[in-house]
Coordinates of all heavy atoms in Angstrom, one line a residue:
M1 N 0.8 -1.2 0.0 CA 0.0 0.0 0.0 C 0.9 1.2 0.0 O 2.0 1.2 0.5 CB -0.9 0.0 1.2 CG -2.0 -0.9 1.2 SD -3.2 -0.3 0.0 CE -4.6 -1.2 0.5
A2 N 0.3 2.3 -0.5 CA 1.1 3.6 -0.6 C 0.2 4.6 0.1 O -1.0 4.6 0.0 CB 1.4 3.9 -2.0
K3 N 0.9 5.6 0.6 CA 0.3 6.7 1.3 C -0.1 7.7 0.3 O 0.4 7.9 -0.7 CB 1.2 7.3 2.3 CG 1.8 6.3 3.3 CD 0.9 6.1 4.5 CE 1.6 5.2 5.5 NZ 0.6 4.4 6.2
Y4 N -1.2 8.5 0.7 CA -1.7 9.6 -0.1 C -0.5 10.5 -0.5 O -0.3 10.9 -1.6 CB -2.7 10.5 0.6 CG -4.1 9.9 0.6 CD1 -4.5 9.0 1.6 CD2 -5.0 10.2 -0.4 CE1 -5.8 8.6 1.6 CE2 -6.3 9.7 -0.4 CZ -6.7 8.9 0.6 OH -8.0 8.4 0.6
R5 N 0.2 10.9 0.6 CA 1.3 11.9 0.3 C 2.5 11.4 -0.5 O 3.0 12.2 -1.3 CB 1.9 12.4 1.7 CG 0.9 13.2 2.4 CD 1.4 13.7 3.8 NE 0.3 14.3 4.5 CZ 0.4 15.3 5.4 NH1 1.7 15.7 5.7 NH2 -0.6 15.8 5.9
E6 N 2.8 10.1 -0.4 CA 3.9 9.5 -1.2 C 3.5 9.6 -2.7 O 4.3 9.9 -3.5 CB 4.1 8.1 -0.8 CG 4.7 7.9 0.6 CD 4.7 6.4 1.0 OE1 4.0 5.6 0.4 OE2 5.4 6.1 2.0
V7 N 2.2 9.2 -3.0 CA 1.8 9.1 -4.4 C 1.7 10.5 -4.9 O 2.2 10.8 -6.0 CB 0.5 8.4 -4.5 CG1 -0.1 8.5 -5.9 CG2 0.6 6.9 -4.1
T8 N 1.2 11.5 -4.2 CA 1.0 12.8 -4.6 C 2.4 13.5 -4.9 O 2.6 14.1 -5.9 CB 0.2 13.7 -3.6 OG1 -1.0 13.1 -3.5 CG2 0.1 15.1 -4.0
R9 N 3.3 13.3 -4.0 CA 4.7 13.9 -4.2 C 5.4 13.3 -5.4 O 6.1 14.0 -6.1 CB 5.5 13.6 -2.9 CG 5.2 14.6 -1.8 CD 6.1 14.4 -0.6 NE 5.6 15.2 0.5 CZ 5.6 14.8 1.8 NH1 6.0 13.6 2.1 NH2 5.1 15.6 2.7
A10 N 5.2 12.0 -5.6 CA 5.8 11.3 -6.8 C 5.3 11.9 -8.0 O 6.0 12.2 -9.0 CB 5.6 9.8 -6.7
I11 N 3.9 12.0 -8.1 CA 3.3 12.6 -9.3 C 3.7 14.0 -9.5 O 4.1 14.4 -10.6 CB 1.8 12.5 -9.2 CG1 1.3 11.0 -9.3 CG2 1.1 13.3 -10.3 CD1 -0.1 10.7 -9.0
E12 N 3.7 14.8 -8.5 CA 4.1 16.3 -8.6 C 5.5 16.4 -9.0 O 5.9 17.3 -9.7 CB 3.7 17.0 -7.4 CG 2.3 17.2 -7.1 CD 1.9 17.8 -5.8 OE1 2.8 17.9 -4.9 OE2 0.8 18.1 -5.5
G13 N 6.4 15.6 -8.5 CA 7.8 15.7 -8.8 C 8.3 15.0 -10.1 O 9.4 15.4 -10.6
K14 N 7.5 14.1 -10.6 CA 8.1 13.3 -11.7 C 7.3 13.4 -13.0 O 7.9 13.1 -14.1 CB 8.2 11.8 -11.3 CG 9.1 11.6 -10.2 CD 9.2 10.2 -9.7 CE 10.1 10.1 -8.5 NZ 10.1 8.7 -8.0
V15 N 6.1 13.8 -13.0 CA 5.3 13.8 -14.2 C 5.6 15.2 -14.8 O 5.3 16.3 -14.3 CB 3.7 13.7 -13.9 CG1 2.9 14.0 -15.2 CG2 3.4 12.4 -13.3
P16 N 6.2 15.2 -16.1 CA 6.5 16.5 -16.7 C 5.3 17.3 -17.1 O 4.3 16.7 -17.7 CB 7.3 16.0 -17.9 CG 6.8 14.6 -18.2 CD 6.4 14.0 -16.9
G17 N 5.3 18.5 -16.8 CA 4.2 19.4 -17.2 C 3.9 20.4 -16.2 O 4.5 20.5 -15.2
P18 N 2.8 21.2 -16.5 CA 2.4 22.3 -15.5 C 1.9 21.7 -14.2 O 1.5 20.5 -14.2 CB 1.3 23.0 -16.3 CG 0.8 22.0 -17.2 CD 1.9 21.1 -17.6
P19 N 1.8 22.5 -13.2 CA 1.2 22.0 -11.9 C -0.2 21.5 -12.1 O -0.9 21.9 -13.0 CB 1.2 23.3 -11.0 CG 2.2 24.2 -11.7 CD 2.2 23.9 -13.2
A20 N -0.6 20.7 -11.1 CA -1.9 20.1 -11.2 C -3.0 21.1 -11.0 O -2.9 22.1 -10.3 CB -2.1 19.0 -10.0
R21 N -4.1 20.9 -11.8 CA -5.3 21.7 -11.6 C -6.1 21.1 -10.5 O -6.2 19.9 -10.4 CB -6.1 21.7 -12.9 CG -5.3 22.5 -14.0 CD -6.1 22.6 -15.2 NE -7.4 23.0 -15.0 CZ -8.4 22.9 -15.9 NH1 -8.2 22.3 -17.0 NH2 -9.6 23.3 -15.6
S22 N -6.7 21.9 -9.7 CA -7.4 21.5 -8.5 C -8.9 21.7 -8.5 O -9.4 22.7 -9.0 CB -6.8 22.2 -7.3 OG -7.1 21.5 -6.1
G23 N -9.6 20.8 -8.0 CA -11.0 20.8 -7.8 C -11.3 19.9 -6.6 O -10.6 20.0 -5.6
S24 N -12.2 19.0 -6.8 CA -12.4 18.0 -5.7 C -11.3 17.0 -5.7 O -11.1 16.2 -4.8 CB -13.7 17.3 -5.9 OG -13.8 16.6 -7.1
E25 N -10.5 16.9 -6.8 CA -9.4 16.1 -7.0 C -8.3 16.8 -7.8 O -8.6 17.9 -8.4 CB -9.8 14.8 -7.7 CG -10.4 15.0 -9.0 CD -11.2 13.7 -9.5 OE1 -11.4 12.8 -8.7 OE2 -11.5 13.7 -10.6
Q26 N -7.1 16.3 -7.9 CA -6.1 16.9 -8.7 C -6.0 16.3 -10.1 O -6.0 15.1 -10.2 CB -4.7 16.7 -7.9 CG -4.7 17.2 -6.5 CD -4.0 18.5 -6.4 OE1 -3.7 19.2 -7.3 NE2 -3.6 18.9 -5.1
N27 N -5.8 17.1 -11.1 CA -5.7 16.6 -12.4 C -4.3 17.2 -12.9 O -4.2 18.4 -13.0 CB -6.8 17.1 -13.3 CG -8.1 16.4 -13.0 OD1 -8.2 15.2 -13.1 ND2 -9.0 17.2 -12.5
R28 N -3.4 16.4 -13.4 CA -2.2 16.8 -13.9 C -2.0 16.2 -15.3 O -2.1 15.0 -15.5 CB -1.0 16.4 -13.0 CG 0.3 16.9 -13.4 CD 1.4 16.6 -12.4 NE 2.6 17.2 -12.8 CZ 3.2 18.3 -12.2 NH1 2.5 18.8 -11.2 NH2 4.3 18.7 -12.7
W29 N -1.6 17.1 -16.2 CA -1.3 16.7 -17.6 C 0.2 16.5 -17.7 O 1.0 17.3 -17.3 CB -1.7 17.8 -18.6 CG -3.2 17.7 -18.8 CD1 -4.2 18.5 -18.2 CD2 -3.9 16.9 -19.8 NE1 -5.4 18.3 -18.7 CE2 -5.3 17.3 -19.7 CE3 -3.5 15.9 -20.7 CZ2 -6.2 16.7 -20.5 CZ3 -4.5 15.3 -21.4 CH2 -5.8 15.7 -21.3
A30 N 0.5 15.4 -18.3 CA 1.9 15.1 -18.6 C 2.2 15.7 -20.0 O 1.5 15.4 -21.0 CB 2.2 13.6 -18.6
E31 N 3.2 16.5 -20.1 CA 3.6 17.1 -21.4 C 4.9 16.6 -21.8 O 5.9 16.6 -21.0 CB 3.6 18.6 -21.3 CG 2.2 19.2 -21.2 CD 2.2 20.8 -21.2 OE1 3.3 21.4 -21.3 OE2 1.1 21.3 -21.1
V32 N 5.0 16.3 -23.1 CA 6.3 15.8 -23.7 C 6.4 16.6 -25.0 O 5.5 16.6 -25.8 CB 6.3 14.3 -24.0 CG1 7.6 13.9 -24.7 CG2 6.1 13.5 -22.7
E33 N 7.5 17.3 -25.1 CA 7.8 18.2 -26.2 C 6.7 19.2 -26.5 O 6.3 19.3 -27.7 CB 8.2 17.3 -27.4 CG 9.4 16.5 -27.2 CD 9.6 15.4 -28.3 OE1 8.8 15.3 -29.2 OE2 10.7 14.7 -28.2
G34 N 6.1 19.8 -25.5 CA 5.1 20.8 -25.6 C 3.7 20.2 -25.9 O 2.8 21.0 -26.2
R35 N 3.5 18.9 -25.9 CA 2.2 18.3 -26.2 C 1.7 17.5 -25.1 O 2.5 16.7 -24.4 CB 2.4 17.4 -27.4 CG 1.1 16.9 -28.1 CD 1.5 16.1 -29.2 NE 1.8 14.7 -28.7 CZ 1.6 13.6 -29.3 NH1 1.0 13.6 -30.5 NH2 1.9 12.5 -28.8
R36 N 0.4 17.7 -24.7 CA -0.2 16.9 -23.7 C -0.4 15.5 -24.1 O -1.0 15.3 -25.2 CB -1.5 17.5 -23.3 CG -1.4 18.8 -22.6 CD -2.8 19.3 -22.2 NE -2.7 20.5 -21.4 CZ -3.7 21.1 -20.9 NH1 -4.9 20.7 -21.2 NH2 -3.6 22.2 -20.2
V37 N 0.2 14.5 -23.4 CA 0.1 13.1 -23.8 C -0.7 12.3 -22.9 O -1.3 11.2 -23.3 CB 1.5 12.5 -24.0 CG1 2.2 13.2 -25.2 CG2 2.3 12.6 -22.7
L38 N -0.9 12.6 -21.6 CA -1.7 11.8 -20.7 C -2.1 12.7 -19.5 O -1.5 13.6 -19.2 CB -1.1 10.5 -20.3 CG 0.2 10.5 -19.5 CD1 -0.1 10.6 -18.0 CD2 0.9 9.2 -19.8
R39 N -3.2 12.3 -18.9 CA -3.7 13.0 -17.7 C -3.8 12.0 -16.6 O -4.2 10.9 -16.7 CB -5.1 13.6 -18.0 CG -5.6 14.5 -16.8 CD -6.9 15.0 -17.0 NE -7.9 13.9 -16.9 CZ -9.2 14.0 -17.0 NH1 -9.7 15.2 -17.3 NH2 -9.9 13.0 -16.9
V40 N -3.3 12.5 -15.4 CA -3.4 11.7 -14.2 C -4.3 12.4 -13.2 O -4.1 13.6 -12.9 CB -2.0 11.6 -13.6 CG1 -2.0 10.7 -12.4 CG2 -1.0 11.0 -14.6
T41 N -5.2 11.7 -12.7 CA -6.1 12.2 -11.6 C -5.8 11.6 -10.3 O -5.7 10.3 -10.3 CB -7.6 11.9 -12.0 OG1 -7.9 12.5 -13.3 CG2 -8.6 12.5 -11.0
H42 N -5.6 12.3 -9.3 CA -5.2 11.8 -8.0 C -5.9 12.6 -6.9 O -6.2 13.8 -7.1 CB -3.7 11.7 -7.8 CG -3.0 13.0 -7.9 ND1 -2.7 13.7 -6.8 CD2 -2.5 13.7 -8.9 CE1 -2.1 14.8 -7.1 NE2 -1.9 14.8 -8.4
P43 N -6.2 12.0 -5.8 CA -6.9 12.7 -4.7 C -6.0 13.8 -4.1 O -4.8 13.7 -4.2 CB -7.2 11.6 -3.7 CG -6.4 10.5 -4.1 CD -5.9 10.6 -5.4
K44 N -6.6 14.8 -3.6 CA -5.9 15.8 -2.9 C -5.3 15.2 -1.6 O -5.8 14.2 -1.1 CB -6.8 16.9 -2.4 CG -7.3 17.8 -3.5 CD -8.1 19.0 -3.0 CE -8.4 19.9 -4.1 NZ -9.2 21.1 -3.6
V45 N -4.2 15.8 -1.1 CA -3.5 15.3 0.1 C -4.4 15.7 1.2 O -4.4 16.9 1.6 CB -2.1 15.8 0.2 CG1 -1.5 15.3 1.5 CG2 -1.3 15.4 -1.0
H46 N -5.1 14.8 1.8 CA -6.0 15.1 2.9 C -5.9 14.1 4.0 O -6.6 14.2 5.0 CB -7.4 15.3 2.5 CG -8.1 14.0 2.0 ND1 -7.9 13.7 0.7 CD2 -8.8 13.1 2.6 CE1 -8.5 12.5 0.5 NE2 -9.1 12.2 1.6
S47 N -5.1 13.1 3.8 CA -5.0 12.0 4.8 C -3.6 11.5 4.8 O -2.8 11.6 3.9 CB -5.9 10.9 4.3 OG -5.8 9.7 5.1
R48 N -3.3 11.0 5.9 CA -1.9 10.4 6.1 C -2.0 8.9 5.9 O -1.0 8.2 6.0 CB -1.4 10.7 7.5 CG -1.1 12.1 7.7 CD -0.5 12.4 9.0 NE -0.3 13.8 9.1 CZ 0.3 14.4 10.1 NH1 0.7 13.7 11.1 NH2 0.5 15.7 10.1
G49 N -3.2 8.4 5.7 CA -3.4 6.9 5.5 C -3.1 6.4 4.1 O -2.5 7.2 3.3
D50 N -3.4 5.2 3.9 CA -3.1 4.5 2.7 C -4.2 4.8 1.7 O -5.4 5.0 2.0 CB -3.0 3.0 2.8 CG -1.8 2.5 3.6 OD1 -0.8 3.3 3.6 OD2 -1.9 1.5 4.3
L51 N -3.8 4.8 0.4 CA -4.8 4.9 -0.7 C -5.5 3.6 -0.9 O -4.8 2.5 -0.7 CB -4.2 5.3 -2.0 CG -3.8 6.8 -2.2 CD1 -2.9 7.0 -3.3 CD2 -5.1 7.6 -2.5
P52 N -6.8 3.5 -1.2 CA -7.4 2.3 -1.5 C -6.8 1.6 -2.7 O -6.3 2.2 -3.6 CB -8.9 2.7 -1.8 CG -9.1 4.0 -1.1 CD -7.7 4.7 -1.2
T53 N -6.8 0.3 -2.7 CA -6.2 -0.5 -3.8 C -6.8 -0.1 -5.1 O -6.0 0.0 -6.1 CB -6.5 -2.0 -3.5 OG1 -6.0 -2.3 -2.2 CG2 -5.7 -2.9 -4.6
G54 N -8.1 0.1 -5.2 CA -8.7 0.5 -6.5 C -8.2 1.8 -7.0 O -7.9 2.0 -8.2
T55 N -8.0 2.8 -6.1 CA -7.4 4.1 -6.5 C -6.0 4.0 -7.0 O -5.6 4.6 -7.9 CB -7.5 5.1 -5.3 OG1 -8.9 5.1 -4.8 CG2 -7.1 6.5 -5.7
L56 N -5.2 3.2 -6.2 CA -3.8 3.0 -6.7 C -3.8 2.3 -8.1 O -3.0 2.8 -8.9 CB -3.1 2.1 -5.7 CG -2.6 2.7 -4.4 CD1 -2.1 1.6 -3.5 CD2 -1.6 3.8 -4.6
H57 N -4.6 1.4 -8.3 CA -4.7 0.7 -9.6 C -5.0 1.7 -10.7 O -4.4 1.7 -11.8 CB -5.6 -0.4 -9.6 CG -5.8 -1.2 -10.9 ND1 -4.8 -2.0 -11.3 CD2 -6.7 -1.2 -11.8 CE1 -5.1 -2.5 -12.5 NE2 -6.3 -2.0 -12.8
S58 N -6.0 2.6 -10.4 CA -6.4 3.6 -11.4 C -5.3 4.6 -11.7 O -5.1 4.9 -12.9 CB -7.6 4.3 -10.9 OG -8.1 5.3 -11.7
I59 N -4.6 5.0 -10.7 CA -3.5 6.0 -10.9 C -2.4 5.3 -11.7 O -1.8 5.9 -12.6 CB -3.0 6.5 -9.5 CG1 -4.1 7.4 -8.9 CG2 -1.7 7.3 -9.7 CD1 -3.8 7.8 -7.5
R60 N -2.1 4.1 -11.3 CA -1.0 3.3 -12.1 C -1.4 3.2 -13.5 O -0.5 3.4 -14.4 CB -0.9 1.9 -11.4 CG 0.2 1.1 -12.1 CD 0.4 -0.3 -11.4 NE -0.8 -1.1 -11.6 CZ -1.1 -1.8 -12.7 NH1 -0.3 -1.7 -13.8 NH2 -2.1 -2.5 -12.8
K61 N -2.6 2.8 -13.8 CA -3.1 2.7 -15.2 C -3.0 4.0 -16.0 O -2.5 4.1 -17.1 CB -4.5 2.2 -15.3 CG -4.5 0.7 -15.0 CD -6.0 0.2 -15.1 CE -6.8 0.6 -16.3 NZ -8.1 0.0 -16.3
Q62 N -3.3 5.1 -15.3 CA -3.3 6.4 -16.0 C -1.8 6.8 -16.2 O -1.6 7.5 -17.2 CB -3.9 7.5 -15.1 CG -5.4 7.4 -15.0 CD -6.0 8.3 -13.9 OE1 -5.6 9.4 -13.8 NE2 -6.9 7.8 -13.1
L63 N -0.9 6.5 -15.4 CA 0.5 6.7 -15.6 C 1.1 5.8 -16.6 O 2.3 6.0 -17.0 CB 1.3 6.6 -14.2 CG 1.0 7.7 -13.2 CD1 1.5 7.3 -11.8 CD2 1.6 9.0 -13.7
R64 N 0.4 4.8 -17.0 CA 0.9 3.8 -17.9 C 2.1 3.0 -17.4 O 3.1 2.8 -18.1 CB 1.3 4.4 -19.3 CG 0.2 5.2 -19.9 CD -1.0 4.4 -20.3 NE -1.9 5.0 -21.3 CZ -2.8 6.0 -21.1 NH1 -3.0 6.4 -19.9 NH2 -3.5 6.4 -22.1
L65 N 2.0 2.6 -16.1 CA 3.1 1.9 -15.5 C 2.7 0.5 -15.1 O 1.5 0.3 -14.7 CB 3.6 2.6 -14.2 CG 4.2 4.0 -14.4 CD1 4.4 4.7 -13.1 CD2 5.5 3.9 -15.2
S66 N 3.6 -0.5 -15.1 CA 3.3 -1.8 -14.6 C 3.4 -1.7 -13.1 O 3.9 -0.7 -12.5 CB 4.4 -2.8 -15.1 OG 5.7 -2.5 -14.6
S67 N 3.0 -2.8 -12.4 CA 3.1 -2.8 -10.9 C 4.5 -2.5 -10.4 O 4.7 -1.7 -9.5 CB 2.5 -4.0 -10.3 OG 1.1 -4.1 -10.6
P68 N 5.5 -3.2 -10.9 CA 6.9 -3.0 -10.4 C 7.4 -1.6 -10.7 O 8.0 -0.9 -9.9 CB 7.7 -4.0 -11.1 CG 6.8 -5.0 -11.6 CD 5.5 -4.4 -11.8
E69 N 7.0 -1.0 -11.9 CA 7.4 0.3 -12.3 C 6.7 1.4 -11.4 O 7.3 2.3 -11.0 CB 7.0 0.6 -13.7 CG 7.8 -0.1 -14.8 CD 7.3 0.1 -16.2 OE1 6.1 0.3 -16.4 OE2 8.1 0.0 -17.1
F70 N 5.4 1.1 -11.0 CA 4.7 2.0 -10.2 C 5.4 2.0 -8.7 O 5.5 3.1 -8.1 CB 3.3 1.6 -10.0 CG 2.4 2.6 -9.2 CD1 2.2 3.9 -9.7 CD2 1.9 2.2 -8.0 CE1 1.4 4.8 -9.0 CE2 1.1 3.1 -7.3 CZ 0.9 4.4 -7.8
E71 N 5.8 0.9 -8.3 CA 6.5 0.8 -7.0 C 7.7 1.7 -7.0 O 8.0 2.4 -6.1 CB 6.8 -0.6 -6.6 CG 5.5 -1.4 -6.2 CD 5.9 -2.8 -5.8 OE1 7.0 -3.1 -5.3 OE2 5.0 -3.7 -6.0
R72 N 8.5 1.5 -8.1 CA 9.7 2.3 -8.2 C 9.4 3.8 -8.3 O 10.1 4.6 -7.8 CB 10.5 1.9 -9.5 CG 11.2 0.6 -9.4 CD 12.1 0.3 -10.6 NE 13.1 1.3 -10.8 CZ 13.3 2.0 -11.9 NH1 12.7 1.7 -13.0 NH2 14.3 2.9 -12.0
F73 N 8.3 4.1 -9.0 CA 7.9 5.5 -9.2 C 7.6 6.1 -7.9 O 8.1 7.2 -7.6 CB 6.7 5.5 -10.1 CG 6.1 6.9 -10.4 CD1 6.7 7.6 -11.5 CD2 5.1 7.4 -9.7 CE1 6.2 8.9 -11.8 CE2 4.6 8.7 -10.1 CZ 5.2 9.4 -11.1
V74 N 6.9 5.4 -7.0 CA 6.5 6.0 -5.7 C 7.6 6.0 -4.7 O 7.8 6.9 -3.9 CB 5.2 5.2 -5.2 CG1 4.9 5.7 -3.8 CG2 4.0 5.5 -6.1
D75 N 8.4 4.9 -4.8 CA 9.5 4.8 -3.8 C 10.8 5.6 -4.1 O 11.8 5.5 -3.5 CB 10.0 3.3 -3.7 CG 8.9 2.5 -3.1 OD1 8.0 3.0 -2.3 OD2 8.9 1.2 -3.3
C76 N 10.6 6.5 -5.1 CA 11.7 7.4 -5.6 C 12.9 6.7 -6.2 O 13.9 7.3 -6.4 CB 12.2 8.2 -4.4 SG 10.9 9.3 -3.8
D77 N 12.8 5.4 -6.6 CA 13.8 4.8 -7.4 C 13.8 5.2 -8.8 O 14.9 5.2 -9.5 CB 13.7 3.3 -7.3 CG 13.9 2.7 -5.9 OD1 14.5 3.4 -5.1 OD2 13.5 1.6 -5.6
M78 N 12.6 5.6 -9.4 CA 12.5 6.1 -10.7 C 12.5 7.6 -10.7 O 11.8 8.2 -10.0 CB 11.2 5.6 -11.3 CG 11.0 6.0 -12.8 SD 9.4 5.6 -13.5 CE 9.6 3.8 -13.6
T79 N 13.4 8.2 -11.5 CA 13.5 9.6 -11.6 C 12.5 10.2 -12.6 O 11.9 9.4 -13.4 CB 14.9 10.1 -12.1 OG1 15.1 9.6 -13.4 CG2 16.0 9.5 -11.2
G80 N 12.3 11.5 -12.5 CA 11.4 12.1 -13.5 C 11.9 12.0 -14.9 O 11.1 11.8 -15.8
T81 N 13.2 12.0 -15.1 CA 13.8 11.8 -16.4 C 13.5 10.4 -17.0 O 13.2 10.3 -18.1 CB 15.3 12.1 -16.3 OG1 15.5 13.4 -15.8 CG2 15.9 12.0 -17.7
E82 N 13.6 9.4 -16.1 CA 13.3 8.0 -16.5 C 11.8 7.9 -16.9 O 11.5 7.2 -17.9 CB 13.6 7.0 -15.4 CG 15.1 6.8 -15.1 CD 15.3 5.8 -14.0 OE1 15.3 6.3 -12.8 OE2 15.3 4.6 -14.2
Y83 N 11.0 8.5 -16.1 CA 9.5 8.4 -16.4 C 9.2 9.1 -17.8 O 8.5 8.6 -18.6 CB 8.7 9.1 -15.3 CG 7.2 9.0 -15.6 CD1 6.6 7.7 -15.6 CD2 6.5 10.1 -15.9 CE1 5.2 7.6 -16.0 CE2 5.1 10.0 -16.2 CZ 4.5 8.8 -16.2 OH 3.2 8.7 -16.6
E84 N 9.9 10.3 -18.0 CA 9.7 11.0 -19.3 C 10.2 10.1 -20.4 O 9.5 10.0 -21.5 CB 10.3 12.3 -19.3 CG 10.0 13.2 -20.5 CD 10.5 14.6 -20.4 OE1 11.0 15.0 -19.3 OE2 10.4 15.3 -21.4
A85 N 11.3 9.4 -20.3 CA 11.8 8.5 -21.3 C 10.8 7.4 -21.6 O 10.6 7.0 -22.7 CB 13.2 8.0 -20.9
L86 N 10.2 6.9 -20.5 CA 9.2 5.8 -20.7 C 8.0 6.3 -21.5 O 7.6 5.6 -22.4 CB 8.8 5.3 -19.2 CG 7.9 4.1 -19.2 CD1 8.3 3.2 -18.1 CD2 6.5 4.5 -19.1
I87 N 7.5 7.5 -21.2 CA 6.4 8.1 -21.9 C 6.8 8.2 -23.4 O 6.1 7.9 -24.3 CB 6.0 9.4 -21.4 CG1 5.4 9.3 -20.0 CG2 5.0 10.1 -22.3 CD1 5.1 10.5 -19.3
K88 N 8.0 8.8 -23.7 CA 8.5 8.9 -25.1 C 8.5 7.6 -25.8 O 8.2 7.5 -27.0 CB 9.8 9.6 -25.1 CG 9.8 11.1 -24.8 CD 11.1 11.7 -24.8 CE 11.1 13.2 -24.4 NZ 12.4 13.8 -24.4
R89 N 9.0 6.5 -25.1 CA 9.0 5.2 -25.7 C 7.6 4.7 -26.0 O 7.4 4.1 -27.1 CB 9.7 4.2 -24.7 CG 10.0 2.8 -25.4 CD 10.5 1.8 -24.4 NE 9.4 1.3 -23.6 CZ 9.4 1.1 -22.3 NH1 10.6 1.3 -21.7 NH2 8.4 0.7 -21.7
L90 N 6.7 4.9 -25.1 CA 5.3 4.5 -25.4 C 4.7 5.3 -26.6 O 3.9 4.7 -27.4 CB 4.4 4.8 -24.2 CG 4.6 3.9 -23.0 CD1 3.8 4.4 -21.8 CD2 4.4 2.4 -23.3
I91 N 5.1 6.5 -26.8 CA 4.6 7.3 -28.0 C 5.2 6.7 -29.2 O 4.5 6.5 -30.2 CB 5.1 8.8 -27.8 CG1 4.2 9.5 -26.7 CG2 4.8 9.5 -29.1 CD1 4.7 10.8 -26.3
V92 N 6.5 6.4 -29.2 CA 7.2 5.8 -30.4 C 6.6 4.5 -30.8 O 6.4 4.2 -31.9 CB 8.7 5.7 -30.2 CG1 9.4 4.9 -31.2 CG2 9.3 7.1 -30.1
E93 N 6.2 3.7 -29.7 CA 5.6 2.4 -30.0 C 4.2 2.5 -30.4 O 3.6 1.4 -30.7 CB 5.8 1.5 -28.7 CG 7.2 1.1 -28.4 CD 7.4 0.4 -27.1 OE1 6.4 0.3 -26.3 OE2 8.5 0.0 -26.7
G94 N 3.6 3.6 -30.3 CA 2.2 3.8 -30.7 C 1.2 3.4 -29.6 O 0.0 3.2 -29.9
K95 N 1.7 3.3 -28.4 CA 0.8 2.8 -27.3 C 0.3 4.0 -26.5 O -0.5 3.9 -25.5 CB 1.6 1.9 -26.3 CG 2.1 0.7 -27.0 CD 2.8 -0.2 -26.0 CE 3.3 -1.5 -26.7 NZ 4.0 -2.3 -25.7
L96 N 0.6 5.2 -26.9 CA 0.1 6.4 -26.2 C -0.3 7.5 -27.2 O 0.4 7.7 -28.2 CB 1.2 6.9 -25.3 CG 0.8 8.0 -24.3 CD1 -0.3 7.5 -23.3 CD2 2.0 8.5 -23.5

């Protein structure tokens, strides 16, 4: 399980693009070479507890990461540069 704050910090620090837009939840667009390529929706940081499994799965799918990649993303093993390279690879492969 991952904490609200851990996931939010990872998204804010590693997803390339402008700051998240806020409403009842946060929406952040990932931009590569000036083009919006994917959007990630995540809850506002309002709890110190764990995110529900379904929410984590949804965020992971939006980020286009496998389970091991998502763990690296949240645990700070994956850098923002590595994540951006992964997105670029998905674009080249036609998966994004």
Side-chain angles (χ1 to χ4, degrees):
M1 284 290 198
K3 307 269 185 216
Y4 280 92
R5 291 180 187 209
E6 294 171 344
V7 172
T8 299
R9 285 184 185 138
I11 291 170
E12 290 174 350
K14 297 177 185 177
V15 175
R21 291 182 49 199
S22 196
S24 61
E25 55 197 17
Q26 304 256 17
N27 292 296
R28 184 174 184 105
W29 281 96
E31 289 186 359
V32 175
E33 298 172 357
R35 193 179 78 145
R36 290 180 173 182
V37 293
L38 62 87
R39 184 181 73 180
V40 181
T41 301
H42 59 95
K44 287 185 173 181
V45 178
H46 65 276
S47 173
R48 293 183 181 184
D50 291 333
L51 280 164
T53 304
T55 304
L56 283 174
H57 180 73
S58 176
I59 293 169
R60 182 181 64 78
K61 283 178 51 179
Q62 291 172 42
L63 289 167
R64 308 295 201 277
L65 297 170
S66 66
S67 292
E69 288 171 334
F70 185 68
E71 287 179 29
R72 286 188 57 229
F73 183 82
V74 174
D75 292 339
C76 296
D77 292 341
M78 180 185 289
T79 65
T81 306
E82 286 178 272
Y83 181 67
E84 188 171 353
L86 186 139
I87 291 173
K88 287 179 180 179
R89 188 186 76 221
L90 291 174
I91 291 170
V92 168
E93 293 173 357
K95 296 180 181 177
L96 190 63

